[in-house]
Amino acid sequence: MAEERFDYSYDYRTVLLFIYSALFWGVVGILIGLWISVQMWLPETNIAPYFTYGRLRAVHTNGLAFGLGVGAIFGITYYITMRLCKRPLLFPRLARAQVYLFNIAIALAAISLLAGATQSLEYAELEWPLDIVVVILWIMFAINILGTIFTRREPQMYISLWYIIATVIAVAILYIINNLAIPAGWLKSYHLFAGVNSANVQWWYGHNAVGFVFTTPILAMFYYFLPKSTGLPIYSHRLSIVSFWSLIFTYLWTGAHHLVYTPLPDWIQTLGIVFTMFLIAPSWGAVINGYYTVGQDWEKAKNNYLTKFFILAITFYGLQTVQGPTQSLRIVSSLIHYTDWVPGHVHMGTMGWVTLTVVACIYYMLPKILKTEIYSIRIANLHFWFVLIGQLLFSITMWITGIQQGALQKAVNPDGSLKYTMVEIIAKNYPYWQLRTLAGVIFTIGMLFFLYNIYMTVKKAKSKSS
Amino acid sequence: MSLHQLIERNPLVLILLATITVLIGTIVTMLYPMFRPEMHPKLEGLKPYTALQLAGRDIYQREGCFYCHTQTVRPLKTEVLRYGEYSKAGEFAYDRPFLWGSKRTGPDLARIGGKYPDEWHYKHFENPQAFFPQSNMPKYGFLKERKLNPKQIEAHMKALGFPYTKEEIEALKDKTEMDALVAYMQVLGTAVKKQ
Ligand code: HEM
Ligand code: HEM
């Protein structure tokens, strides 16, 4: 084999370092998630000034989107790119430097958010000095990914590489534009855009952060690791092509569905909603491809313990991408917008689709890199059931209480006056918020099984090699 | 060889096509609107924030209040009933960034200005549960202990190009962060009410 001429060990070490970093930030983010979920029903757990809900929530979302999400994306994408290009990274040392800079950046991000330095733009909270670091990190990533692709030893670029390329480009455009700001001090700036325009730019960014951080790179993983772990080729290449181009085309039109019934001009809202409806099609392209891929030989597919991770993940992706468009309809939005329904939606995506796919990729990749087997499939199965139950309980309780909030806020007496005050409505949320914490604990236990399994696998590999 | 096979073998083509593809929606829904006047409206009664109000807005940002409180009243019957006049695009001309929020754990604040006396806000920030035992809002008493930094606020006013006087900045040194936050609360939504 030609590729054996290469030594991958240095790059694989870099991949592992990214994975370990991502898992570390994942633990931090999840524990803070538990904490803020408790703050929702027990306000005494706010510790002013640094650990109030308003500051911790940003650490939770940034820690998981950027620490766990982007960290895993860096590592897993490098792995996929090397395999598909049949060569090591073009700049191994650059990638290694990127690991260290990444961890420094996330640590500083967490500290600055706790200190209250925030642009107040969801998923773009980090202040301008950190934005510059993020851009540098992304450039390092882009240089290595594109450079490796340009010097690849396999003429054809597999589907995953298309998604990776789209991710590299789109995130750069999105991040730079939405973070344009007027600096007013070392840790303070004001959005370059004002009012309605500020809102429009932010949610163009915000929705596409979902599209190009929580969707396209995760699809790249899905398209690579599903065939790898089942031994079955992707069902339809043509469907992959059509859904790829229509997905990356459509996503950029849909940001305004976050601004339904706000003062944003109606035509932008309507345009956003229409394209959001259409987004179901390319999203389901991937879902159908996934189902039919394992459908080719279910007997074979089901032998691998990872198949259920991937199939459940793509199922949640499928549900998510039907729920999302539904939410954008004016009539639905008027009920659930601003309520706990939305965190229910979000966590089906983040826990059920993103995290489940990422852990399955790590289960597959790590033993391959370490030249060993996974420590325990039984523990992996336990992990699976715990995170599944935790996530379902989280989403379902939030959907129920979300609809209740929406309905009670609209409820009127026969004389036309409002039936409930806000506080009366909040009081009704407590049992659901408490159940959400329970759901989070179950999810966390599942993730601890995962971490233990990974730890033992690494340990096993070490003792074997020494 | 089909067209797509060509793309699959040529990263430069793929990069270019993908860039164009993501830019189309970007231009139509984000960039183009920016050049339309409807994206930059301003209500007649709307004034830039005073130094004290801006300091309050900075604190509102710093504390992440917008994760639980929205600042847009939607044009829906019960919402107008609950909060008042629905939000107009022209109210936000000086808002960088907008602080509409995406979650209403607590009530909307777009029309909070003038709803309660200052004294109410001071007490409420210190101990929300004293007013609403069932509220889950954190206590913000520490804001009372913290003095404002006039130099910093002056820099912020400059960055935004808001008009201010020397006296206004000097007066800040005797004010606390709590004073600023209350001043910000009291100006929210007032441009509409004056009409
Ligand atoms: C076709 C795909 C999707 C569509 C059309 C869609 C649509 C929506 C809509 C309309 C909202 C706003 C709800 C509201 O505030 O009333 C929303 C929120 C959100 N969605 Fe989705 N969604 C999709 C898929 C996903 C996926 C795959 C994820 C990944 C994890 C995700 C994560 C989020 C997040 C994080 C928010 C909350 C944003 C915030 O308010 O901060 N969505 N989505
Ligand atoms: C133990 C597990 C978790 C718990 C208890 C938890 C809890 C929470 C809570 C309480 C919120 C705030 C909801 C609100 O605004 O009302 C939140 C928001 C959020 N969480 Fe989590 N979370 C967990 C896991 C995760 C994971 C694994 C991810 C991503 C990989 C994630 C991503 C997010 C995002 C993106 C938001 C913002 C949602 C929005 O804007 O509506 N969470 N989480």
Side-chain angles (χ1 to χ4, degrees):
Chain A
M1 292 284 285
E3 66 177 288
E4 300 311 324
R5 286 195 283 127
F6 292 115
D7 181 8
Y8 287 91
S9 55
Y10 184 86
D11 287 336
Y12 279 173
R13 177 90 199 131
T14 309
V15 169
L16 288 181
L17 288 175
F18 270 121
I19 298 300
Y20 299 153
S21 312
L23 294 180
F24 173 77
W25 295 114
V27 172
V28 173
I30 286 172
L31 291 179
I32 292 179
L34 281 177
W35 189 352
I36 60 174
S37 81
V38 174
Q39 288 177 335
M40 293 289 274
W41 51 269
L42 194 67
E44 288 75 22
T45 51
N46 285 283
I47 307 172
Y50 299 109
F51 306 101
T52 55
Y53 179 88
R55 297 194 188 186
L56 282 174
R57 189 186 186 281
V59 184
H60 170 64
T61 57
N62 283 272
L64 288 167
F66 296 118
L68 172 67
V70 173
I73 290 167
F74 282 157
I76 298 172
T77 305
Y78 277 147
Y79 179 84
I80 296 176
T81 304
M82 285 189 278
R83 301 310 306 166
L84 291 175
C85 294
K86 297 214 164 88
R87 57 154 298 153
L89 295 177
L90 187 59
F91 302 109
R93 278 176 202 285
L94 186 67
R96 188 62 66 85
Q98 192 191 335
V99 177
Y100 296 116
L101 188 59
F102 167 76
N103 282 299
I104 294 169
I106 302 292
L108 290 177
I111 294 168
S112 71
L113 290 173
L114 289 178
T118 169
Q119 300 185 136
S120 311
L121 298 166
E122 280 181 78
Y123 316 110
E125 276 94 347
L126 303 183
E127 268 298 351
W128 66 272
L130 276 161
D131 287 336
I132 294 173
V133 180
V134 173
V135 171
I136 293 172
L137 275 167
W138 202 259
I139 292 172
M140 293 165 102
F141 179 57
I143 290 175
N144 237 331
I145 290 288
L146 299 181
T148 307
I149 290 177
F150 273 110
T151 54
R152 73 198 180 285
R153 298 166 49 79
E154 162 66 51
Q156 190 173 3
M157 290 182 290
Y158 177 69
I159 314 158
S160 299
L161 289 181
W162 321 342
Y163 278 109
I164 291 170
I165 289 176
T167 305
V168 167
I169 298 167
V171 171
I173 299 173
L174 292 159
Y175 198 86
I176 291 172
I177 295 182
N178 190 43
N179 281 296
L180 293 176
I182 311 160
W186 274 107
L187 282 173
K188 179 73 193 166
S189 66
Y190 295 101
H191 210 197
L192 185 62
F193 315 99
V196 194
N197 198 28
S198 162
N200 196 39
V201 176
Q202 153 62 18
W203 283 113
W204 160 80
Y205 166 87
H207 185 67
N208 288 292
V210 168
F212 291 90
V213 174
F214 285 157
T215 303
T216 52
I218 315 300
L219 284 172
M221 298 175 195
F222 180 77
Y223 272 112
Y224 180 80
F225 287 100
L226 180 72
K228 279 286 168 195
S229 46
T230 56
L232 299 166
I234 284 298
Y235 168 71
S236 163
H237 190 65
R238 175 168 303 184
L239 185 57
S240 310
I241 295 173
V242 176
S243 51
F244 170 75
W245 289 104
S246 49
L247 185 93
I248 68 167
F249 174 73
T250 312
Y251 247 101
L252 282 298
W253 292 75
T254 56
H257 65 220
H258 288 268
L259 296 169
V260 176
Y261 283 125
T262 67
L264 184 73
D266 267 343
W267 70 269
I268 305 181
Q269 293 184 30
T270 306
L271 198 62
I273 296 169
V274 170
F275 275 83
T276 302
M277 289 297 121
F278 179 71
L279 199 50
I280 298 179
S283 307
W284 270 75
V287 179
I288 289 169
N289 236 341
Y291 284 164
Y292 278 84
T293 296
V294 295
Q296 295 173 105
D297 191 348
W298 177 244
E299 285 308 311
K300 185 173 173 196
K302 82 171 188 212
N303 284 335
N304 191 303
Y305 76 104
L306 288 178
T307 305
K308 63 176 168 301
F309 281 83
F310 286 114
I311 288 304
L312 198 77
I314 202 75
T315 302
F316 281 128
Y317 176 68
L319 293 174
Q320 184 87 357
T321 52
V322 170
Q323 186 181 63
T326 312
Q327 287 167 183
S328 76
L329 293 170
R330 285 202 169 84
I331 176 105
V332 181
S333 179
S334 83
L335 182 70
I336 58 91
H337 191 38
Y338 303 136
T339 71
D340 270 299
W341 172 282
V342 180
H345 166 76
V346 171
H347 289 83
M348 176 163 69
T350 52
M351 292 170 154
W353 157 238
V354 178
T355 310
L356 207 58
T357 306
V358 165
V359 295
C361 297
I362 296 173
Y363 272 139
Y364 179 89
M365 217 169 70
L366 192 100
K368 280 268 183 304
I369 291 180
L370 297 173
K371 299 196 175 64
T372 179
E373 296 292 319
I374 191 71
Y375 171 70
S376 162
I377 292 183
R378 262 193 51 193
I379 294 178
N381 287 336
L382 270 175
H383 159 205
F384 176 85
W385 289 109
F386 270 86
V387 295
L388 173 62
I389 292 167
Q391 184 254 306
L392 284 176
L393 187 61
F394 190 129
S395 290
I396 291 169
T397 50
M398 290 303 102
W399 291 329
I400 296 172
T401 191
I403 291 176
Q404 180 181 282
Q405 281 161 22
L408 297 183
Q409 286 181 36
K410 281 177 186 292
V412 285
N413 293 312
D415 67 352
S417 61
L418 292 168
K419 209 161 174 177
Y420 300 96
T421 67
M422 255 330 248
V423 193
E424 281 166 352
I425 299 172
I426 291 168
K428 292 196 195 305
N429 291 328
Y430 281 89
Y432 296 96
W433 283 335
Q434 285 157 351
L435 272 176
R436 188 240 311 261
T437 300
L438 175 67
V441 170
I442 297 172
F443 180 85
T444 308
I445 294 172
M447 290 303 281
L448 291 177
F449 280 126
F450 167 67
L451 291 176
Y452 176 74
N453 215 352
I454 292 302
Y455 173 77
M456 292 307 285
T457 308
V458 175
K459 210 171 126 181
K460 193 172 93 176
K462 277 216 176 101
S463 67
K464 210 170 72 181
S465 66
S466 63
Chain B
M1 206 192 284
S2 76
L3 175 68
H4 205 266
Q5 267 173 321
L6 209 80
I7 300 172
E8 286 169 31
R9 279 156 197 269
N10 198 329
L12 198 61
V13 176
L14 183 66
I15 290 171
L16 280 175
L17 285 180
T19 309
I20 294 167
T21 309
V22 298
L23 281 180
I24 299 172
T26 299
I27 290 169
V28 179
T29 64
M30 191 275 281
L31 196 63
Y32 162 68
M34 237 182 244
F35 297 97
R36 291 172 61 100
E38 63 184 337
M39 292 299 268
H40 310 278
K42 187 149 75 181
L43 282 190
E44 255 174 58
L46 188 74
K47 291 201 205 69
Y49 294 105
T50 66
L52 188 63
Q53 290 160 358
L54 181 71
R57 193 173 196 269
D58 290 342
I59 292 158
Y60 188 88
Q61 280 191 271
R62 186 187 74 198
E63 298 306 330
C65 309
F66 75 100
Y67 290 118
C68 290
H69 295 283
T70 54
Q71 288 188 18
T72 35
V73 180
R74 296 180 291 178
L76 304 173
K77 207 178 79 199
T78 46
E79 204 142 299
V80 172
L81 212 55
R82 189 178 297 278
Y83 300 113
E85 190 64 24
Y86 67 84
S87 293
K88 314 285 186 295
E91 291 178 63
F92 305 97
Y94 297 109
D95 283 13
R96 290 173 199 270
F98 78 115
L99 290 175
W100 297 350
S102 62
K103 174 83 201 294
R104 229 174 237 165
T105 297
D108 185 273
L109 299 177
R111 299 283 173 258
I112 196 74
K115 183 174 173 192
Y116 303 106
D118 287 358
E119 200 45 38
W120 186 93
H121 284 293
Y122 282 96
K123 293 212 171 102
H124 178 255
F125 284 135
E126 235 185 307
N127 187 3
Q129 285 71 26
F131 290 77
F132 310 108
Q134 304 268 40
S135 167
N136 60 356
M137 178 164 150
K139 297 177 172 49
Y140 286 103
F142 71 95
L143 297 175
K144 246 182 18 188
E145 320 295 324
R146 293 195 182 184
K147 289 259 178 277
L148 292 178
N149 177 347
K151 262 218 169 71
Q152 200 180 34
I153 298 162
E154 189 178 10
H156 294 183
M157 292 294 278
K158 269 195 188 136
L160 288 165
F162 290 168
Y164 63 87
T165 60
K166 272 224 135 43
E167 297 78 63
E168 195 187 344
I169 299 293
E170 247 161 54
L172 293 176
K173 72 177 193 309
D174 303 320
K175 302 276 184 189
T176 65
E177 292 193 342
M178 182 83 95
D179 298 325
L181 192 56
V182 174
Y184 175 59
M185 289 295 104
Q186 296 295 25
V187 74
L188 282 176
T190 50
V192 164
K193 281 188 197 146
K194 272 189 224 133
Q195 286 201 325

